[in-house]
Amino acid sequence: MQLKIMPKKKHLSAGGVPLILFLCQMISALDVPLDPKLLHDLVQPPTITQQSPKDYIIDPRENIVIQCEAKGKPPPSFSWTRNGTHFDIDKDPLVTMKPGSGTLVINIMSEGKAETYEGVYQCTARNERGAAVSNNIVVRPSRSPLWTKERLEPIVLQNGQSLVLPCRPPIGLPPAIIFWMDNSFQRLPQSERVSQGLNGDLYFSNVLPEDTREDYICYARFNHTQTIQQKQPISLKVISVDELNDTIAANLSDTEFYGAKSSKERPPTFLTPEGNESHKEELRGNVLSLECIAEGLPTPIIYWIKEDGMLPANRTFYRNFKKTLQITHVSEADSGNYQCIAKNALGAVHHTISVTVKAAPYWIVAPQNLVLSPGENGTLICRANGNPKPRISWLTNGVPIEIALDDPSRKIDGDTIIFSNVQESSSAVYQCNASNKYGYLLANAFVNVLAEPPRILTSANTLYQVIANRPALLDCAFFGSPMPTIEWFKGTKGSALHEDIYVLHDNGTLEIPVAQKDSTGTYTCVARNKLGMAKNEVHLEIKDPTRIIKQPEYAVVQRGSKVSFECRVKHDHTLIPTIMWLKDNGELPNDERFSTDKDHLVVSDVKDDDGGTYTCTANTTLDSASASAVLRVVAPTPTPAPIYDVPNPPFDLELTNQLDKSVQLTWTPGDDNNSPITKFIIEYEDAMHDAGLWRHQAEVSGTQTTAQLKLSPYVNYSFRVMAENSIGRSMPSEASEQYLTKAAEPDQNPMAVEGLGTEPDNLVITWKPLNGFQSNGPGLQYKVSWRQKDGDDEWTSVVVANVSKYIVSGTPTFVPYLIKVQALNDVGFAPEPAAVMGHSGEDLPMVAPGNVRVSVVNSTLAEVHWDPVPPKSVRGHLQGYRIYYWKTQSSSKRNRRHIEKKILTFQGTKTHGMLPGLQPYSHYALNVRVVNGKGEGPASTDRGFHTPEGVPSAPSSLKIVNPTLDSLTLEWDPPSHPNGILTEYILQYQPINSTHELGPLVDLKIPANKTRWTLKNLNFSTRYKFYFYAQTSVGPGSQITEEAITTVDEVRAVNPRISNLTATAAETYANITWEYEGPGHVTFYVEYGVAGSKEEWRKEIVNGSRSFFGLKGLMPGTAYKVRVGAEGDSGFVSSEDVFETGPAMASRQVDIATQGWFIGLMCAVALLILILLIVCFIRRNKGGKYPVKEKEDAHADPEIQPMKEDDGTFGEYSDAEDHKPLKKGSRTPSDRTVKKEDSDDSLVDYGEGVNGQFNEDGSFIGQYSGKKEKEPAEGNESSEAPSPVNAMNSFV
């Protein structure tokens, strides 16, 4: 078997922190540990541990040292080859080999030259177990040659031309680093216009006069020899066009002019590389550098793209003002076409660079050392890749394996050597060489055949001390062949530790990812193989962490005062901390003003220089803690008043006494900011189930700093604390450490368990699942149990995953079941749940209700009775009974027509119900059905019944036509709902005289088959009011009214008509509009009253022939009936409507009219207006014009303006203080004067307070109200004088 001494870990623990502890065992290759305990009797083939690089460039001024170090047991001997042949160091007095090493030292400082020892060297380390060889080390001395001397002519250029100053440094080893400077060794400034190329040349996209100078010097620095070589200075002069022409004429011929190009603005062209395409080859892993430098005027800008993909975001860098594109760590995927684009305002130019990435050999699987025991098997694998594909060759002990001694235990299969049944003679060192044209890889791997029982190399009884909540690594370094297995035990009788809590590393180390106090104890490491067993005990102690529980606080102190910083440290009692104070990360000043004790740093007589950051550091042998505070020194100021604020957050949260279902939390209060803390609020977060969500845990008084908290199982708790004072609540503290409680069985079962079937043959069991917090452990499931309630069946159970539903199939229809849902997890079951009752699925009822009986109560109401169905036939939850009823035909009409069926549902077990709203004198049919949760059952046999006669509705219409001197003709349509057989019509009428008094009432019976009737012997030119209704044997129906007038002469009158009666209502007023068709010279009136009231109608006369009128003084939120009538020479006509006023609105305004000073002022104004009106009235009677009249003519009388629908203004309003119905007696005084109630249409009357206002166009705005006191005003068609308030509003 293969022995792995220092392999990788099996896995990483969650939250593990890398430690240096024991890493010394993991940094070398697979190897036999050279422990002193093993060296005296354990053999090992040689291993090269150190060698010089493959390409070794030496300084020719120093001795040559070629390294070759190796280890092995017995210690190996060393030999060298040079240029492929044995290098006999004994024959060269300048060459020596270090004792116990293979490193060569060639002393060329005394004599000899480095060039003499150029060549290819290889070292071989050999002992009795095999031979290891080094790489081929190519030794070359560094070179820093001088520039060849040359004469450089001054360069004269026209402003704007391009220029390339060549560097062409001498070829050195290694290549020189190039830079341009002046004579003062100052670097020449570079920009997008002037920059140095990868070849060292200095490129000018265009020259400017400021580029003129005589000391452009190219320097070459050879780092290996720390020498710098410089080129001869180059002189450049940039002149204008005129200066250039003068210079050419005086000194040069046309052919001698240097680089002459037009200095006009021009599009870009590339200075390097040349042409449109070029090729670049780079090796895998190197840095790919692509360069494009362009000339042009104005200066071009360079852009880069990859034609067949995106540039790698994290490996792409731009250098030299984006003229150089670099891609680090190139791979074959970076091959492709890269395009650089040079662009200025005059155009753009492109250049494509085709990149090919080749690869020197690189390891895929490098061969690893094998330690086998006799008879075991193993393999050496040497797998490499490259471009082109490398060739793999094997050597054994430095000799090609093809010519080496044959070993029957090995078999070569390409890049793999297979060993089987090895013996001690199979031990050897194998070399794998992978090479292509770009390089090679050489790796040594030994096969060491050993038979060794286990040995534990870690010292016995080693004591490990670890800080709590940090990882603990317990070492068990071991060796054995075959490789031993490792087990760890805790205590004397403990079982083997497993990887559910611990991490077992292949090198034998035991890792405890989060060490707790209970991790303290003795641990035993046991190593076993077939040759024996070894064990070792180590001890682990867990220490409390060192913490600063009272940190120094930010301080602002006055110069000359004293400041104290507190640093209170809490630590493990077995560890002794060392407290150190620092100022600005340095030692405290050596000044007696600074004094320290256990917990405090005191600075007396503070000076300005004392300001800074002070750090308290507490160190123990295992850990450290530090905290800092800033001191700010200010000039002395008066003592400020105390500032009261919410408390500072608590800090230093610590969990102790950690039990399964409780923990003790302690904390340190923050500053109370001059207001005592009254209580602490503790919250918790469950990082496992509800990360980021903090919930309330507990509250304690403000004097406590410790709380015993009850915990739930299987919750990853973190706690935070907030302080509260009279000002408010502090910010939360930092979260405490996390504490994962152990899992336990659930302590509750799911709620809302129900069993309802969705189909006749199933039972759907549902419940509300537990949340993660209630699960108490991993693997939450539910045990669902059920059985028939009325049977003797055993419980049937099934365990389901964390779901909320389970469907039981194949159940009888609507059978009661007992159901239980019990929670369980990986630990166990919750308490036994209580059984709840459910039912399997319902089906439609099977039986219809019987003995259906109908009793007719009156013409619109019937009562239905039925017998209940047997409970078993319901086959579900009885929801009630449903009656379907419909009218089959009317008793007065024999033709049948379809009428939609009506449905009434009666809940529960009721066996009777009322059918309201029936049509009188009609035939009905009905049936009854039982209803359950699934639907309706079959219908009972249809039962018919007959409703008796009722009173008819009002006639559908009534018209008065053909008025003459002494007759009127009435036409009507029968009632739409006769509700029986009409026996006759009753017509009542009475005259209305000119004073609107009603005359005697005349009754007239008209046969039921009539629809027209003429009344004769009437008075001429007289208004009559008609009351008309139909009658059945039950009694009279509703009446319809109408009014008409007989004519003055025999001329046939045109029938008047009122239509489109509309009422627009507000809170206390309404605007009534209508349309009138008929002869002129009519008088309109408006009658209104509360709908449904028996009070008489209130009547208002409309001035003129207007078709609108305003009603005010209405009650808010009340339904009103309104009727508009028109009477004239051609007769009388009316129309009715119903409207409702708006709800009452609360007013917050103060009525200025109640202020005494204002009443006095307005009385004076009213008196003046009254005098003015009297004067105007007298002048108007005399036919003269007066200013008020002129205004009325200019602005049109608002009383004769119709209402505008678009702006809501009103044309006619009437104001009546006392709205009374028509009564007998004269409505017009004998002197023919019109009272206020007959003519009162001023808009001023609708204003109240400051709400009554008018727009500039005369429209009324604000809130209408009828709250006014009015005085009557005499005079024909006169308007009353406005009240003082309204008068003011009218002037607004």
Side-chain angles (χ1 to χ4, degrees):
M1 67 176 287
Q2 183 175 356
L3 178 65
K4 297 183 179 180
I5 304 301
M6 305 296 170
K8 298 179 182 178
K9 296 190 295 182
K10 287 184 178 179
H11 63 83
L12 294 176
S13 61
V17 180
L19 298 179
I20 299 176
L21 188 61
F22 310 122
L23 290 184
C24 60
Q25 301 183 29
M26 304 172 67
I27 59 175
S28 62
L30 300 180
D31 206 351
V32 174
L34 295 183
D35 189 278
K37 302 175 184 177
L38 299 176
L39 289 178
H40 67 284
D41 61 353
L42 188 64
V43 296
Q44 179 184 357
T47 300
I48 301 292
T49 59
Q50 191 173 2
Q51 56 184 317
S52 293
K54 293 179 181 179
D55 191 6
Y56 186 26
I57 299 175
I58 62 173
D59 189 339
R61 300 168 298 180
E62 298 179 354
N63 289 338
I64 302 172
V65 179
I66 309 176
Q67 288 186 328
C68 180
E69 302 291 341
K71 65 178 180 180
K73 185 65 175 72
S77 60
F78 298 90
S79 61
W80 286 87
T81 62
R82 178 183 173 188
N83 296 328
T85 61
H86 178 67
F87 181 33
D88 191 349
I89 61 176
D90 295 332
K91 294 183 178 181
D92 191 333
L94 300 182
V95 181
T96 58
M97 185 182 298
K98 289 184 178 181
S101 165
T103 299
L104 296 181
V105 179
I106 305 175
N107 187 3
I108 61 172
M109 295 184 64
S110 58
E111 58 178 309
K113 295 183 178 181
E115 290 79 2
T116 305
Y117 293 95
E118 285 190 64
V120 180
Y121 293 79
Q122 188 174 37
C123 169
T124 301
R126 187 185 307 274
N127 69 9
E128 64 185 35
R129 287 275 169 161
V133 298
S134 70
N135 292 322
N136 286 331
I137 304 170
V138 180
V139 177
R140 293 183 294 170
S142 63
R143 298 181 180 87
S144 52
L146 300 174
W147 252 288
T148 57
K149 291 189 176 182
E150 54 184 336
R151 182 177 180 182
L152 302 176
E153 296 294 337
I155 301 174
V156 179
L157 287 181
Q158 178 185 349
N159 183 19
Q161 288 185 274
S162 63
L163 172 66
V164 180
L165 296 183
C167 180
R168 302 189 187 97
I171 299 175
L173 187 67
I177 298 173
I178 306 301
F179 50 94
W180 288 80
M181 294 195 298
D182 58 15
N183 276 330
S184 302
F185 294 99
Q186 299 298 316
R187 285 188 178 270
L188 297 176
Q190 298 190 21
S191 63
E192 292 180 341
R193 184 178 63 83
V194 182
S195 60
Q196 176 183 317
L198 294 176
N199 62 355
D201 293 347
L202 190 64
Y203 293 85
F204 294 76
S205 295
N206 50 78
V207 295
L208 300 175
E210 64 195 49
D211 297 327
T212 298
R213 64 189 311 144
E214 297 181 350
D215 55 351
Y216 284 95
I217 305 174
C218 181
Y219 289 85
R221 183 174 69 208
F222 297 93
N223 285 343
H224 216 79
T225 58
Q226 298 296 310
T227 57
I228 297 178
Q229 306 289 356
Q230 78 174 59
K231 185 183 177 75
Q232 290 294 323
I234 301 174
S235 175
L236 170 64
K237 184 176 182 181
V238 180
I239 59 178
S240 65
V241 176
D242 295 336
E243 292 174 327
L244 183 60
N245 291 336
D246 294 342
T247 303
I248 293 174
N251 302 309
L252 302 172
S253 66
D254 291 343
T255 59
E256 293 173 331
F257 179 55
Y258 182 87
K261 291 185 179 179
S262 171
S263 62
K264 296 180 180 179
E265 290 190 346
R266 60 191 181 277
T269 59
F270 283 113
L271 297 174
T272 183
E274 299 177 350
N276 296 327
E277 297 180 353
S278 58
H279 182 74
K280 174 77 172 181
E281 186 176 282
E282 191 55 79
L283 290 182
R284 179 181 184 272
N286 289 352
V287 177
L288 172 66
S289 295
L290 305 178
E291 181 181 59
C292 281
I293 301 178
E295 65 90 16
L297 189 65
T299 302
I301 303 297
I302 304 297
Y303 303 92
W304 291 90
I305 60 172
K306 187 177 182 184
E307 293 182 356
D308 52 352
M310 299 290 292
L311 294 172
N314 299 326
R315 296 185 292 113
T316 300
F317 303 92
Y318 297 100
R319 312 292 185 200
N320 196 19
F321 309 99
K322 295 195 73 174
K323 299 175 186 179
T324 302
L325 171 69
Q326 287 187 342
I327 300 177
T328 59
H329 306 292
V330 293
S331 64
E332 290 83 345
D334 295 317
S335 298
N337 292 331
Y338 293 78
Q339 191 176 96
C340 60
I341 304 165
K343 182 185 295 185
N344 67 7
L346 277 71
V349 64
H350 303 71
H351 183 91
T352 301
I353 305 175
S354 177
V355 174
T356 303
V357 178
K358 299 292 186 179
Y362 57 91
W363 291 120
I364 297 177
V365 180
Q368 303 292 316
N369 294 335
L370 285 178
V371 178
L372 304 175
S373 59
E376 287 187 329
N377 304 325
T379 58
L380 285 180
I381 300 175
C382 176
R383 197 160 293 156
N385 201 359
N387 187 8
K389 184 75 175 178
R391 176 179 174 272
I392 304 295
S393 60
W394 288 95
L395 299 88
T396 177
N397 297 327
V399 178
I401 201 164
E402 296 81 7
I403 61 175
L405 294 175
D406 187 38
D407 183 354
S409 66
R410 71 171 178 244
K411 177 183 178 182
I412 301 172
D413 184 8
D415 58 7
T416 304
I417 300 180
I418 303 171
F419 297 92
S420 57
N421 193 24
V422 296
Q423 301 302 319
E424 189 172 353
S425 60
S426 301
S427 297
V429 181
Y430 289 84
Q431 290 82 36
C432 172
N433 185 295
S435 60
N436 64 11
K437 62 185 290 187
Y438 298 106
Y440 73 93
L441 294 172
L442 178 67
N444 291 276
F446 64 69
V447 176
N448 195 14
V449 181
L450 297 172
E452 294 290 333
R455 307 183 191 187
I456 295 179
L457 309 180
T458 300
S459 300
N461 296 313
T462 300
L463 174 63
Y464 296 94
Q465 294 180 332
V466 178
I467 297 298
N469 298 317
R470 295 186 183 179
L473 295 174
L474 308 184
D475 185 24
C476 182
F478 65 91
F479 176 75
S481 180
M483 185 177 71
T485 59
I486 301 298
E487 286 184 308
W488 280 92
F489 300 86
K490 182 180 179 183
T492 56
K493 297 182 180 180
S495 58
L497 304 181
H498 300 290
E499 293 191 12
D500 53 349
I501 300 177
Y502 303 90
V503 179
L504 304 178
H505 294 269
D506 285 346
N507 66 349
T509 298
L510 173 68
E511 178 181 352
I512 306 173
V514 182
Q516 303 286 344
K517 282 288 189 179
D518 57 3
S519 302
T520 299
T522 299
Y523 292 80
T524 303
C525 168
V526 178
R528 292 186 178 90
N529 69 8
K530 64 181 181 181
L531 299 178
M533 181 268 287
K535 66 179 180 179
N536 186 42
E537 289 185 352
V538 297
H539 307 283
L540 176 63
E541 292 181 356
I542 307 301
K543 306 294 184 180
D544 291 328
T546 302
R547 291 178 290 112
I548 298 177
I549 60 175
K550 181 62 175 177
Q551 300 184 0
E553 297 180 351
Y554 172 81
V556 179
V557 299
Q558 299 176 9
R559 189 183 311 113
S561 60
K562 181 170 70 173
V563 64
S564 175
F565 292 107
E566 182 178 6
C567 180
R568 191 180 305 161
V569 178
K570 185 175 183 180
H571 59 89
D572 192 276
H573 68 279
T574 63
L575 301 176
I576 301 177
T578 302
I579 309 298
M580 179 182 298
W581 286 92
L582 303 175
K583 180 180 183 293
D584 297 329
N585 295 323
E587 294 183 358
L588 292 177
N590 187 13
D591 191 329
E592 61 183 8
R593 295 183 300 109
F594 292 81
S595 61
T596 61
D597 58 19
K598 180 180 178 182
D599 296 327
H600 292 82
L601 166 66
V602 179
V603 183
S604 304
D605 189 18
V606 174
K607 299 180 180 179
D608 290 339
D609 293 341
D610 295 336
T613 301
Y614 289 83
T615 303
C616 162
T617 302
N619 295 301
T620 67
T621 56
L622 297 181
D623 66 343
S624 65
S626 63
S628 299
V630 174
L631 172 63
R632 181 183 169 200
V633 182
V634 298
T637 57
T639 303
I643 298 176
Y644 298 92
D645 201 353
V646 300
N648 291 346
F651 59 93
D652 185 33
L653 273 65
E654 181 181 7
L655 298 177
T656 57
N657 298 336
Q658 297 173 351
L659 303 176
D660 289 349
K661 292 190 177 182
S662 68
V663 69
Q664 181 172 287
L665 174 66
T666 60
W667 62 90
T668 301
D671 196 322
D672 63 7
N673 291 324
N674 301 308
S675 178
I677 296 173
T678 57
K679 65 178 178 180
F680 292 98
I681 299 94
I682 304 169
E683 295 181 335
Y684 73 92
E685 176 199 30
D686 181 4
M688 183 183 303
H689 303 110
D690 290 312
L693 181 62
W694 291 90
R695 290 187 169 94
H696 183 271
Q697 174 76 24
E699 291 184 6
V700 298
S701 70
T703 59
Q704 290 185 233
T705 58
T706 301
Q708 193 73 23
L709 305 178
K710 293 183 179 181
L711 307 180
S712 294
Y714 198 58
V715 177
N716 197 6
Y717 281 98
S718 293
F719 298 96
R720 68 182 187 185
V721 184
M722 291 173 287
E724 189 174 291
N725 61 11
S726 60
I727 307 300
R729 183 175 293 184
S730 73
M731 295 294 290
S733 68
E734 295 290 331
S736 72
E737 60 182 307
Q738 291 186 345
Y739 177 50
L740 177 62
T741 55
K742 293 183 179 179
E745 65 275 0
D747 50 22
Q748 60 180 304
N749 288 301
M751 306 292 289
V753 178
E754 292 184 349
L756 295 173
T758 58
E759 298 295 336
D761 60 348
N762 74 7
L763 171 66
V764 179
I765 302 173
T766 59
W767 60 91
K768 181 181 179 182
L770 303 182
N771 57 36
F773 187 83
Q774 299 167 326
S775 65
N776 285 4
L780 177 64
Q781 294 178 301
Y782 300 99
K783 178 184 178 183
V784 184
S785 305
W786 67 92
R787 70 176 179 85
Q788 288 191 25
K789 178 178 179 295
D790 299 327
D792 297 329
D793 297 342
E794 297 292 330
W795 288 91
T796 301
S797 301
V798 63
V799 176
V800 298
N802 189 9
V803 295
S804 62
K805 180 172 69 174
Y806 182 75
I807 300 176
V808 180
S809 300
T811 63
T813 300
F814 197 66
V815 172
Y817 276 85
L818 293 178
I819 301 166
K820 295 189 294 186
V821 180
Q822 184 179 22
L824 67 147
N825 59 21
D826 292 349
V827 179
F829 286 83
E832 183 69 22
V836 298
M837 192 173 76
H839 285 82
S840 57
E842 299 179 69
D843 204 348
L844 294 177
M846 296 185 297
V847 178
N851 193 20
V852 177
R853 307 173 301 282
V854 181
S855 299
V856 177
V857 179
N858 55 40
S859 60
T860 61
L861 182 67
E863 184 176 11
V864 184
H865 291 261
W866 61 89
D867 292 344
V869 299
K872 290 187 178 181
S873 69
V874 177
R875 298 202 295 180
H877 293 284
L878 176 64
Q879 294 187 355
Y881 291 88
R882 189 168 293 162
I883 300 177
Y884 285 76
Y885 64 100
W886 62 96
K887 189 164 66 172
T888 56
Q889 69 178 30
S890 174
S891 300
S892 59
K893 295 182 180 179
R894 295 305 175 186
N895 58 312
R896 302 180 63 90
R897 57 174 179 167
H898 174 73
I899 292 185
E900 182 180 358
K901 292 184 178 181
K902 296 182 181 180
I903 303 173
L904 279 179
T905 301
F906 298 90
Q907 303 293 334
T909 59
K910 290 188 67 173
T911 58
H912 64 91
M914 307 296 288
L915 301 183
L918 302 177
Q919 186 73 35
Y921 204 58
S922 299
H923 286 287
Y924 280 88
L926 62 78
N927 58 49
V928 184
R929 311 176 192 202
V930 67
V931 182
N932 65 11
K934 189 71 173 178
E936 299 175 351
S940 66
T941 303
D942 290 352
R943 302 287 294 182
F945 63 95
H946 172 72
T947 56
E949 286 187 277
V951 297
S953 62
S956 299
S957 66
L958 175 63
K959 296 185 293 183
I960 292 89
V961 298
N962 301 329
T964 65
L965 281 173
D966 61 352
S967 68
L968 292 171
T969 300
L970 283 68
E971 293 182 351
W972 64 88
D973 290 325
S976 57
H977 298 289
N979 295 336
I981 299 175
L982 296 181
T983 58
E984 59 188 356
Y985 290 102
I986 305 299
L987 173 63
Q988 297 175 319
Y989 62 94
Q990 59 188 147
I992 304 174
N993 62 18
S994 58
T995 61
H996 301 283
E997 293 177 337
L998 298 175
L1001 187 66
V1002 179
D1003 289 345
L1004 180 64
K1005 295 184 179 181
I1006 301 173
N1009 59 351
K1010 299 292 186 179
T1011 59
R1012 181 184 178 94
W1013 193 265
T1014 300
L1015 295 176
K1016 298 179 181 181
N1017 299 322
L1018 302 177
N1019 298 328
F1020 70 93
S1021 188
T1022 301
R1023 172 183 294 175
Y1024 286 90
K1025 185 166 186 178
F1026 299 92
Y1027 310 91
F1028 190 67
Y1029 54 89
Q1031 186 167 304
T1032 65
S1033 60
V1034 177
S1038 302
Q1039 68 179 9
I1040 184 171
T1041 64
E1042 191 58 271
E1043 293 184 12
I1045 302 175
T1046 56
T1047 60
V1048 178
D1049 51 31
E1050 292 297 335
V1051 178
R1052 192 173 187 85
V1054 178
N1055 293 329
R1057 180 169 174 261
I1058 294 178
S1059 61
N1060 294 335
L1061 174 61
T1062 304
T1064 304
E1067 180 183 346
T1068 58
Y1069 68 90
N1071 190 39
I1072 311 300
T1073 61
W1074 60 89
E1075 293 180 3
Y1076 170 73
E1077 297 176 5
H1081 305 290
V1082 295
T1083 300
F1084 294 101
Y1085 66 88
V1086 176
E1087 292 181 308
Y1088 66 97
V1090 177
S1093 172
K1094 296 183 179 180
E1095 294 181 1
E1096 295 186 14
W1097 296 69
R1098 285 175 274 186
K1099 189 171 185 178
E1100 300 289 344
I1101 303 300
V1102 180
N1103 288 339
S1105 59
R1106 290 169 294 183
S1107 58
F1108 54 89
F1109 190 81
L1111 298 178
K1112 55 179 184 154
L1114 306 179
M1115 290 184 294
T1118 304
Y1120 282 88
K1121 56 187 177 180
V1122 64
R1123 177 167 58 210
V1124 176
E1127 59 182 342
D1129 296 340
S1130 59
F1132 170 79
V1133 69
S1134 65
S1135 180
E1136 296 183 9
D1137 192 13
V1138 176
F1139 66 90
E1140 183 174 350
T1141 55
M1145 302 294 290
S1147 174
R1148 298 184 181 179
Q1149 296 178 330
V1150 176
D1151 191 353
I1152 195 173
T1154 63
Q1155 305 299 312
W1157 62 270
F1158 189 82
I1159 294 174
L1161 176 62
M1162 289 299 101
C1163 286
V1165 174
L1167 181 59
L1168 291 176
I1169 293 174
L1170 179 60
I1171 295 171
L1172 179 61
L1173 289 175
I1174 294 172
V1175 173
C1176 292
F1177 180 79
I1178 295 172
R1179 292 189 60 185
R1180 185 177 65 174
N1181 289 343
K1182 293 181 179 181
K1185 292 257 185 172
Y1186 54 91
V1188 176
K1189 179 63 178 176
E1190 290 173 356
K1191 283 189 176 182
E1192 290 176 349
D1193 294 341
H1195 295 91
D1197 185 1
E1199 293 184 348
I1200 60 174
Q1201 304 257 344
M1203 176 181 177
K1204 299 177 183 179
E1205 293 183 358
D1206 57 347
D1207 62 6
T1209 61
F1210 294 87
E1212 161 65 11
Y1213 297 91
S1214 178
D1215 186 12
E1217 179 184 19
D1218 186 14
H1219 301 289
K1220 297 180 179 179
L1222 289 174
K1223 294 184 178 179
K1224 292 184 180 180
S1226 174
R1227 293 179 54 89
T1228 304
S1230 59
D1231 58 1
R1232 308 303 297 168
T1233 59
V1234 181
K1235 299 291 184 179
K1236 176 184 68 173
E1237 57 267 31
D1238 297 327
S1239 177
D1240 190 7
D1241 306 320
S1242 172
L1243 281 176
V1244 175
D1245 295 337
Y1246 287 88
E1248 179 180 359
V1250 295
N1251 282 344
Q1253 299 178 7
F1254 294 84
N1255 288 332
E1256 293 179 358
D1257 60 356
S1259 61
F1260 183 72
I1261 62 176
Q1263 196 175 35
Y1264 293 91
S1265 175
K1267 300 178 181 178
K1268 291 191 299 294
E1269 298 293 334
K1270 298 181 182 178
E1271 297 296 334
E1274 301 293 337
N1276 188 27
E1277 298 183 1
S1278 65
S1279 299
E1280 69 166 329
S1283 72
V1285 178
N1286 298 331
M1288 186 187 77
N1289 290 333
S1290 66
F1291 290 126
V1292 175

